[in-house]
Amino acid sequence: MAYLIRDWFLEDEVYRTYSCEPKQNELQGLSKVNIFVGPNNSGKSRLLRELFEIMPHRIRPTGDLLENLNKLCLEFNEKVSDICSQCEIKGLYEKEELPRIITKDCIEISEKYREVPRNAINSFSRISEATVVRCQGAKDKLHRFAIARRKLPDIISIGSESLAKLNSIIDGTPEVFEFTGMYVPTLRGLRPFKDCGDIYCDRTLSDYFDTGSVGVFTGLEMYKQVKNLLLGDLQERERISEYQDFLSKNLFGREKVAIIPREKRENNEKKEILFVKVGAEKEREIYNLGDGIQQLLMLTFPLFAYEDKSLLLFIEEPELYLHPGYQRQLLKIYTSDEFADVQVFFTTHSNHFLDLTTDIEQISVYRFDKELDEGDSVEKSAKFTIFPASTGDTNLLDHLGVQNASVFLANCTIWVEGITDRLYIRKFLELYSEREDVEWDFREDTHYAFVEYSGNNISHWSFLEQEDKPMVVERVCNRLFLIADKDSGKEERHEKLKETLGDKFFLLDRKEIENILTPETIRKVIRDYEGEEVGLNDFEYEDYPDKPIGKFIEDEILKDGNEASKRLRSTSNKNDPHPYAEGNTIKAKVGFCKKAISHLKSYDDLSPDANEICTRIHKFIKENNPD
């Protein structure tokens, strides 16, 4: 089981964090990817380097491990105190062989956190009559001994039960929490210098770290690392094979990829150069690939070079040389389940990364502010405040100096009515692209991008010419594909869109995007909300083309008298509200959508209508991204 860091205690007092309580000395709510945002000189890079360098770390891991251990300790202490009080066994629980189990606020890296509770519980489980007697005073010794003998089975039982609970809690957890840190500075690249070694690393160490520090990766040593892995044991050679397969799938459209360390002679000089061969194309030097591809190679290679470690990857400004489409690809890679033991921290000035946090889960964003000490001193010390940022926090854009205007950089756009349409169609395309009979070498935000037009707002655009001065779509993007729900009462609008856009307009053959989910997917979502025991009526795909899904679930799928559904419909959970509606749509559409998407595992899970959408979109993207 992969354990990441959830909360990180900061050693440097110049940092203050705002979480549940103001100005705590810990970084709370960490995710798989953690983004530090702020203006220049706001402290974000300084903290990134400190986190990399601090050893040992004091952390709370993800999951409930620490909470469950503390709960067990409190229960054990209470039961032991009660039994000792009943038996009048004075001094027993204070003896050296039976230490009181102390609850912990954090776990230190490399600490054997299991030993104290296990040793205490084991000692208590081995209590004998002789141990009990030694702890008695002379007065009333026989009376106390009789009570203790009678309670001895209860004492041993407490130890046995607590030991079983402890084993259950720590089952599958590491003996100690240990991490390998890797720091990637802005000073990086794949173009080696003659007879200079890794001068980027040397400079980074001299500027920021103790010269004995390790774990700085700049790309200049990638040749040696690849060569060592290829010449290593079977497991190391397999890492390179896995890396090549990964590059093929994620960067080179499933073309076969080979990375070859070669010694090349030019003018009687020996040069050590990595070559890359893609498909049938002639192999070429790695630095002759595009700068963006080179960056992605550098930023993903450590995932495989250290795949046997729990890796903490610290990166300065990963957006350097990266097109927004590659920035999306990088985030998808870092949050992938394929790299469950990798946790990433990076600084950025890219608003594109922030845009992507609304689409990709397992990301936390932290905003940095700097304050100078008060007083009349000519030179003042700085302190830094860290704010956990929520999605849509406009202060983040202010910190990055981003204007409100947006620029479309993708080659074409897909217009959808809202966020759930975008999330569904993105997932449909992901599964569609995995079909063996589909050639797919397209990336979102590079070859295509989504635009949300929010239903009735479409009337403000020049598609329909319903305003005197409509927004001219050609000034924004002249290559678009527009998808609309088949809502009743909008037939005239749909006819006008068809007339204007032709085959670039797609009208769903069913009421809304949720209506193209298969019955099996809808059943699984209902059970997510209602529980596996919920009673459901049989229904087919043909039963709900034009019916509001929320009402269809309420009236025709959920069986009458089902207690689970009645209970849930009568209560509201603000974090996961009940989705069904009595009106014309689904409440909590985004929550319903995310549950539905989680059950779409393969192309076979798509309905015929979802397949048709993907086919049409694929054709459109291909036409607008010629080779």
Side-chain angles (χ1 to χ4, degrees):
M1 182 177 181
Y3 276 86
L4 306 177
I5 298 174
R6 185 188 70 197
D7 304 316
W8 196 324
F9 287 74
L10 304 180
E11 306 294 333
D12 194 336
E13 294 185 358
V14 303
Y15 289 99
R16 298 169 295 179
T17 60
Y18 276 79
S19 296
C20 297
E21 297 180 5
K23 299 185 180 179
Q24 300 300 303
N25 200 33
E26 57 187 278
L27 203 57
Q28 296 182 343
L30 295 169
S31 299
K32 200 159 187 325
V33 172
N34 305 278
I35 303 176
F36 296 169
V37 176
N40 288 327
N41 202 31
S42 61
K44 56 189 185 297
S45 292
R46 173 174 165 174
L47 178 62
L48 191 78
R49 292 190 291 267
E50 287 193 13
L51 293 178
F52 164 67
E53 197 172 25
I54 292 170
M55 286 290 178
H57 312 290
R58 293 187 301 135
I59 66 163
R60 297 189 190 97
T62 54
D64 299 323
L65 171 63
L66 190 58
E67 288 79 358
N68 289 336
L69 280 175
N70 283 337
K71 183 179 179 181
L72 172 64
C73 292
L74 292 171
E75 291 178 351
F76 180 78
N77 290 337
E78 184 177 350
K79 289 180 180 180
V80 170
S81 297
D82 286 347
I83 201 77
C84 290
S85 176
Q86 292 175 31
C87 299
E88 299 181 30
I89 307 176
K90 298 179 180 179
L92 172 62
Y93 201 37
E94 286 74 30
K95 288 184 67 64
E96 184 178 351
E97 67 267 23
L98 295 173
R100 178 175 293 276
I101 308 179
I102 301 174
T103 56
K104 299 174 64 65
D105 191 40
C106 63
I107 293 175
E108 291 192 3
I109 303 300
S110 301
E111 173 192 15
K112 296 182 178 180
Y113 63 94
R114 300 174 172 187
E115 287 189 355
V116 171
R118 187 187 290 281
N119 290 343
I121 293 172
N122 278 334
S123 297
F124 196 77
S125 301
R126 293 192 295 269
I127 288 177
S128 65
E129 294 179 7
T131 303
V132 173
V133 171
R134 285 202 308 271
C135 296
Q136 311 309 310
K139 186 179 180 181
D140 298 325
K141 180 176 180 180
L142 293 178
H143 173 66
R144 293 179 183 175
F145 179 67
I147 296 176
R149 287 193 63 185
R150 199 163 59 246
K151 291 290 185 179
L152 190 59
D154 295 337
I155 295 174
I156 297 173
S157 175
I158 291 172
S160 299
E161 291 176 2
S162 298
L163 189 60
K165 286 185 179 180
L166 176 65
N167 290 333
S168 176
I169 291 171
I170 63 179
D171 182 40
T173 66
E175 289 284 345
V176 295
F177 286 93
E178 293 182 310
F179 299 90
T180 296
M182 180 62 58
Y183 175 75
V184 183
T186 55
L187 199 61
R188 57 182 183 258
L190 292 175
R191 303 177 184 180
F193 295 84
K194 178 183 175 182
D195 301 327
C196 291
D198 193 345
I199 60 175
Y200 289 164
C201 180
D202 294 341
R203 182 72 206 200
T204 300
L205 290 175
S206 66
D207 286 346
Y208 300 130
F209 305 115
D210 186 339
T211 54
S213 297
V214 295
V216 175
F217 180 71
T218 69
L220 293 186
E221 292 291 304
M222 191 166 165
Y223 172 91
K224 291 182 179 178
Q225 290 176 300
V226 170
K227 183 177 180 179
N228 290 339
L229 288 173
L230 285 171
L231 296 176
D233 57 27
L234 176 61
Q235 184 178 12
E236 290 173 324
R237 297 195 301 273
E238 285 179 345
R239 289 187 201 172
I240 291 296
S241 178
E242 292 170 1
Y243 184 52
Q244 292 173 153
D245 292 342
F246 162 83
L247 294 177
S248 170
K249 177 182 176 182
N250 290 277
L251 298 181
F252 294 102
R254 294 194 174 85
E255 293 277 3
K256 187 175 181 180
V257 176
I259 300 181
I260 310 139
R262 283 178 48 192
E263 293 183 358
K264 182 179 179 181
R265 288 196 171 273
E266 291 182 357
N267 300 324
N268 294 323
E269 293 182 8
K270 184 180 72 173
K271 293 184 176 181
E272 296 179 334
I273 301 172
L274 278 178
F275 281 73
V276 178
K277 180 172 175 54
V278 180
E281 186 179 349
K282 183 179 178 180
E283 66 184 44
R284 49 185 168 151
E285 297 90 340
I286 196 169
Y287 50 73
N288 280 329
L289 298 174
D291 288 332
I293 291 289
Q294 291 181 50
Q295 288 293 316
L296 284 177
L297 290 172
M298 279 186 288
L299 296 176
T300 57
F301 178 70
L303 305 181
F304 292 85
Y306 301 92
E307 69 176 6
D308 58 338
K309 310 289 186 181
S310 291
L311 180 64
L312 300 179
L313 189 56
F314 303 89
I315 309 171
E316 297 279 10
E317 301 182 29
E319 69 270 18
L320 295 179
Y321 304 104
L322 288 188
H323 185 284
Y326 281 150
Q327 293 181 33
R328 170 181 290 278
Q329 188 73 359
L330 188 65
L331 278 187
K332 289 177 67 176
I333 289 168
Y334 284 156
T335 55
S336 168
D337 292 338
E338 183 178 356
F339 306 109
D341 289 321
V342 177
Q343 193 165 13
V344 182
F345 301 79
F346 67 78
T347 64
T348 187
H349 293 113
S350 169
N351 62 299
H352 298 292
F353 274 130
L354 300 183
D355 294 340
L356 297 174
T357 61
T358 63
D359 300 336
I360 302 175
E361 297 183 348
Q362 304 184 75
I363 299 176
S364 294
V365 180
Y366 298 88
R367 176 169 60 87
F368 283 64
D369 278 341
K370 181 174 70 173
E371 300 175 7
L372 296 179
D373 288 341
E374 297 180 356
D376 299 328
S377 174
V378 177
E379 293 185 344
K380 300 179 180 180
S381 298
K383 291 189 177 180
F384 308 97
T385 306
I386 306 169
F387 298 86
S390 59
T391 300
D393 185 350
T394 57
N395 286 325
L396 298 178
L397 298 181
D398 294 337
H399 272 60
L400 295 179
V402 176
Q403 300 299 318
N404 291 333
S406 298
V407 178
F408 289 96
L409 299 177
N411 291 337
C412 60
T413 53
I414 302 165
W415 292 49
V416 295
E417 291 203 19
I419 183 173
T420 53
D421 296 69
R422 171 164 56 88
L423 296 176
Y424 279 121
I425 293 173
R426 176 181 290 135
K427 185 64 177 182
F428 297 163
L429 290 175
E430 176 188 327
L431 299 177
Y432 179 84
S433 69
E434 295 174 356
R435 288 179 48 176
E436 293 183 0
D437 60 339
V438 171
E439 294 183 4
W440 187 277
D441 189 21
F442 307 116
R443 289 181 297 276
E444 187 177 343
D445 293 330
T446 302
H447 300 101
Y448 66 95
F450 286 99
V451 176
E452 297 176 20
Y453 63 84
S454 303
N456 287 330
N457 286 342
I458 196 67
S459 61
H460 304 310
W461 289 91
S462 57
F463 303 122
L464 302 176
E465 298 180 356
Q466 293 182 347
E467 294 186 359
D468 292 337
K469 293 182 178 181
M471 294 182 287
V472 181
V473 68
E474 289 81 3
R475 299 289 177 85
V476 178
C477 179
N478 61 0
R479 293 179 288 184
L480 64 94
F481 185 87
L482 191 143
I483 302 170
D485 293 342
K486 190 182 178 182
D487 295 326
S488 60
K490 298 181 181 179
E491 291 80 5
E492 183 178 347
R493 174 186 297 176
H494 295 155
E495 286 296 325
K496 180 63 176 178
L497 288 169
K498 177 64 177 175
E499 177 184 338
T500 304
L501 299 175
D503 62 356
K504 302 302 187 292
F505 173 64
F506 186 91
L507 181 64
L508 293 180
D509 196 35
R510 299 165 77 87
K511 182 175 178 59
E512 291 184 303
I513 194 76
E514 289 85 4
N515 292 70
I516 69 174
L517 295 173
T518 64
E520 184 58 30
T521 300
I522 293 175
R523 290 188 190 99
K524 289 178 179 178
V525 175
I526 295 173
R527 291 192 174 101
D528 284 343
Y529 282 106
E530 309 282 8
E532 290 294 328
E533 77 282 2
V534 65
L536 303 177
N537 294 316
D538 292 333
F539 65 102
E540 303 294 335
Y541 188 64
E542 294 75 20
D543 294 339
Y544 52 94
D546 300 311
K547 296 181 179 180
I549 283 293
K551 190 166 178 58
F552 179 71
I553 292 173
E554 287 276 8
D555 295 346
E556 302 187 40
I557 300 180
L558 290 169
K559 287 187 175 180
D560 292 338
N562 182 274
E563 291 301 321
S565 63
K566 283 183 178 180
R567 180 177 66 256
L568 281 171
R569 286 198 295 275
S570 65
T571 60
S572 176
N573 181 342
K574 66 179 180 180
N575 295 320
D576 192 10
H578 203 263
Y580 318 135
E582 297 179 357
N584 293 324
T585 189
I586 292 176
K587 294 178 182 176
K589 285 173 73 75
V590 175
F592 187 95
C593 170
K594 289 182 177 180
K595 291 181 187 295
I597 287 174
S598 70
H599 294 297
L600 300 178
K601 304 297 186 183
S602 73
Y603 172 74
D604 294 333
D605 295 328
L606 301 184
S607 68
D609 291 279
N611 172 63
E612 184 180 0
I613 290 175
C614 292
T615 302
R616 290 282 301 275
I617 292 176
H618 181 218
K619 179 175 181 291
F620 166 74
I621 296 174
K622 192 171 183 179
E623 288 174 349
N624 287 283
N625 289 275
D627 295 334

